């Protein structure tokens, strides 16, 4: 079975002739996906169908990052970048059929083929009392709904249909365009019956864990609830995934100084993009197959995408609180820098983490995004003569992370905070959610736990490994810091919630920067505030030389969408 899946993945082929929804809606097309009479009536059929859809999904990985980051506030686009990237960054209309961004057809191709598979699968088939096709069925349904959500988050609407388009007669039927807010409600109703279904697992394929190739229905449900303002339900779903799958925020993946004078350090956070994955889009180890161009766009003497200057400055200026080990109450060093960006020692030498100075022929210490290059695979057989940073070999992107463990915890914090539990939410950042923390009344307000909701229970031993996300870049000492990084005492509940939400937004940047989430995080949080879209417009505008002009442009919410 593993050999079958491996071959399917490397070949990048899908079952049948893959035809996009937009092509189908063109009545001059006579393409089709599956024959009408072909059904998926065995576990092998469902397996082939799932893998075929995964190969199609590969075309969306790079766009997920570009659509999510170039419209956010953490990156800038160089003047030498392709025109479409510059237009996307400035919220201007894209060129027709732009080569870099591409059309919507690849999204609809995934959606249509998901619909075909779902329509043909017989989920009632059981073996030894088990619905053998249910895991793939739920996984395909979730991938379909995730793709629909990406379309709506990018373009403001999506053509929602559950019917497969198989021939010209179907093509003549118009799929209704559904707005983002209306779509969210439909997707919630669609996924709720599958909240308890886990992802398929075929073991290791081409060196990657196959269960990460799919998104748990409960996880996408959590995102949908959070976007929709169903905060308690969102927190419950995030907690369900964290608890059932054993996810904790590990301090082993921290960047930290080992001395109070910045002479020695441990650099481990650079590995989190590949080692803390919950769900991703996989790519083959074969260099001849398709891979996203994210490394070339960022790690290049002529980089198209660069870290925003304000973000680099803020990360370098953040307070770092050094103590030697957990349990010590005295901070032994107040240093500068959130080390999840880069580490600069007392002699001025820098080590890149998410970004850092890169020196090579034609490049003199320019600060570049290093996250994709650091987590790629060097293919020494083929170099890139146009990129002096990759003369020794091409760096292949093996996966694009869609969800990582910090996402779960920080979005859980976002939901719990808006559900009226700001001290519990802030504990995710400052301390880590574990028994000793949630039972300490000086850290978590007991009134927030009085309702005894299951999703507030972190007393089980599995959670003992939890650390605060901020500890992983700003030092263990942030947990004992008592003046700056603390909940405001003289504040209303609304003010406390919004203060915590700002800290969560900062942590989302530090922990998950450049991964494709930023625009969507800003949009979601902005929608929950009274001054939307001004809140997100102000955040985005800070990367421009003309912030007032950008704020004014984004005051019209229609400009938030790709055109």
């Amino acid at each position: 079975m593993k050999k079958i899946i491996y071959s399917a993945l490397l070949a990048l082929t899908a079952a049948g002739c893959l035809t996009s929804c937009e092509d189908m809606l063109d009545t001059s097309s006579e393409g089709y996906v599956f024959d009408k009479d072909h059904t998926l009536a065995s576990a092998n059929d469902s397996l082939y169908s799932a893998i075929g859809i995964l190969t199609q999904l590969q075309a969306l990985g790079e766009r997920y990052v570009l659509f999510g980051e170039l419209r956010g506030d953490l990156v800038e686009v160089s003047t030498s970048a392709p025109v479409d990237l510059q237009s996307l960054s400035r919220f201007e209309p894209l060129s027709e059929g732009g080569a870099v961004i591409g059309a919507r057809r690849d999204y609809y191709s995934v959606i249509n083929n998901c619909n075909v598979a779902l329509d043909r699968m017989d989920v009632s088939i059981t073996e030894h009392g088990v619905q053998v096709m249910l895991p793939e069925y739920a996984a395909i349904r979730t991938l379909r709904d995730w793709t629909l959500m990406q379309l709506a988050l990018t373009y403001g609407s999506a053509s929602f249909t559950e019917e497969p388009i198989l021939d010209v007669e179907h093509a003549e039927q118009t799929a209704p365009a559904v707005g983002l807010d209306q779509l969210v409600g439909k997707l919630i109703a669609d996924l709720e019956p599958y909240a308890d279904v886990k992802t398929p697992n075929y073991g290791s394929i081409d060196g990657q864990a196959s269960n990460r190739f799919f998104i748990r229905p409960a996880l996408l449900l959590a995102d949908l609830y959070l976007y929709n303002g169903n905060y308690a339900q969102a927190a419950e779903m995030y907690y369900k995934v964290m608890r059932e799958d054993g996810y904790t925020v590990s301090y082993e993946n921290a960047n930290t100084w080992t001395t109070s004078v910045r002479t020695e350090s441990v650099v481990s956070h650079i590995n989190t993009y590949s080692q803390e994955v919950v769900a991703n889009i996989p790519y083959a180890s074969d260099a001849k197959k398709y891979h996203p161009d994210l490394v070339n766009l960022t790690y290049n003497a002529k980089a198209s995408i660069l870290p925003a200057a304000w973000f680099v400055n803020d990360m370098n200026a953040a307070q770092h609180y050094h103590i030697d080990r957990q349990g010590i109450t005295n901070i032994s060093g107040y240093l500068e820098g959130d080390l999840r960006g880069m580490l600069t020692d007392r002699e001025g030498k820098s080590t890149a983490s998410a970004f850092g100075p890169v020196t090579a022929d034609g490049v003199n210490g320019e600060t570049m995004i290093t996250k994709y290059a650091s987590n790629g695979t060097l293919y020494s057989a083929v170099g890139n003569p146009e990129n002096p940073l990759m003369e020794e070999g091409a760096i292949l992107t093996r996966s694009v992370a869609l969800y990582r463990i910090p996402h779960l915890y920080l979005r859980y914090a976002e939901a719990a905070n808006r559900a009226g539990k700001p001290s519990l939410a802030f504990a995710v950042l400052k301390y880590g959610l574990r028994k000793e923390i949630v039972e300490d009344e000086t850290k978590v307000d007991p009134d927030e736990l009085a309702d005894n909701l299951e999703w507030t229970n972190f007393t089980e031993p599995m959670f003992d490994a939890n650390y605060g996300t901020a500890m992983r870049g700003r030092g263990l000492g942030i947990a004992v810091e008592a003046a700056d990084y603390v909940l405001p005492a003289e504040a209303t509940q609304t003010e406390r919630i919004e203060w915590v939400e700002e800290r969560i937004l900062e942590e989302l940047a530090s922990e998950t920067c450049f991964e494709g989430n930023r625009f969507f995080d800003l949009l979601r949080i902005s929608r929950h505030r009274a001054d939307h879209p001004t809140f997100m417009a102000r955040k985005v505008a800070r990367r421009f030389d003309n912030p007032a002009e950008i704020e004014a442009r984004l005051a019209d919410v229609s400009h938030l969408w790709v055109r």
Side-chain angles (χ1 to χ4, degrees), residues 299-322:
Y299 193 69
N300 196 321
K302 296 180 180 179
S304 295
I305 304 170
L306 298 163
W310 79 265
F311 181 53
V312 173
N313 293 337
D314 274 21
M315 290 286 278
N316 291 344
Q319 191 77 64
H320 185 95
Y321 308 93
H322 177 75

Side-chain angles (χ1 to χ4, degrees), residues 175-361:
V178 180
L180 176 58
D181 293 345
Q182 185 182 356
L183 177 68
V184 169
K186 288 179 175 289
L187 298 183
I188 288 173
D190 187 65
L191 285 179
E192 281 180 330
Y194 307 97
D196 293 326
V197 182
K198 293 191 175 184
T199 58
N201 190 348
Y202 311 123
S204 178
I205 300 176
D206 201 14
Q208 299 192 56
S210 63
N211 62 313
R212 296 175 180 172
F213 299 171
F214 304 95
I215 302 168
R216 275 195 66 169
L219 181 50
L220 183 55
L221 260 178
D223 278 358
L224 294 168
Y225 285 141
L226 183 57
Y227 181 88
N228 209 40
N230 308 125
Y231 303 117
Q233 289 170 286
E236 180 183 2
M237 284 295 121
Y238 288 124
Y239 178 84
K240 176 184 180 68
V241 176
M242 295 185 303
R243 182 174 178 273
E244 290 182 359
D245 293 343
Y247 293 124
T248 57
V249 178
S250 171
Y251 189 66
E252 291 180 1
N253 291 319
N255 281 359
T256 186
W257 297 111
T258 53
T259 68
S260 60
V261 291
R262 295 191 303 170
T263 56
E264 297 177 2
S265 62
V266 174
V267 184
S268 297
H269 199 265
I270 200 170
N271 301 316
T272 60
Y273 186 63
S274 57
Q275 293 183 0
E276 292 187 331
V277 172
V278 175
N280 64 14
I281 298 176
Y283 298 88
S285 59
D286 187 342
K288 297 186 291 296
K289 304 304 180 183
Y290 169 76
H291 295 87
D293 200 33
L294 295 173
V295 177
N296 220 32
L297 289 170
T298 55
Y299 193 69
N300 196 321
K302 296 180 180 179
S304 295
I305 304 170
L306 298 163
W310 79 265
F311 181 53
V312 173
N313 293 337
D314 274 21
M315 290 286 278
N316 291 344
Q319 191 77 64
H320 185 95
Y321 308 93
H322 177 75
I323 58 177
D324 293 330
R325 61 184 181 276
Q326 183 79 355
I328 297 177
T329 58
N330 294 323
I331 297 171
S332 57
Y334 290 85
L335 311 173
E336 283 190 349
D338 185 324
L339 306 188
R340 290 168 290 187
M342 64 180 173
L343 298 82
T344 304
D345 64 24
R346 63 182 180 180
E347 296 177 352
K349 181 181 178 181
S350 297
T351 302
S353 186
F355 57 78
V358 178
T359 302
D361 292 341

Side-chain angles (χ1 to χ4, degrees), residues 395-461:
I395 300 176
L396 307 179
T397 299
R398 290 298 315 281
S399 66
V400 169
L402 302 180
Y403 292 91
R404 296 193 302 105
I405 294 171
H407 289 135
L408 271 63
Y409 275 87
L410 289 170
R411 289 180 185 173
Y412 168 88
E414 183 185 334
N417 181 50
R418 280 285 172 178
K421 304 180 188 297
S423 71
L424 179 69
F426 189 53
V428 173
L429 285 57
K430 181 161 181 162
Y431 309 109
L433 293 179
R434 56 187 185 275
K435 188 177 191 301
E436 67 180 278
I437 300 302
V438 295
E439 292 182 351
D440 185 339
E441 296 185 3
T442 66
K443 294 180 172 63
V444 177
D445 185 346
D447 288 343
E448 293 180 10
L449 307 179
D451 46 14
N452 291 315
L453 295 174
E454 182 184 11
W455 55 265
T456 64
N457 179 15
F458 289 87
T459 60
E460 293 184 33

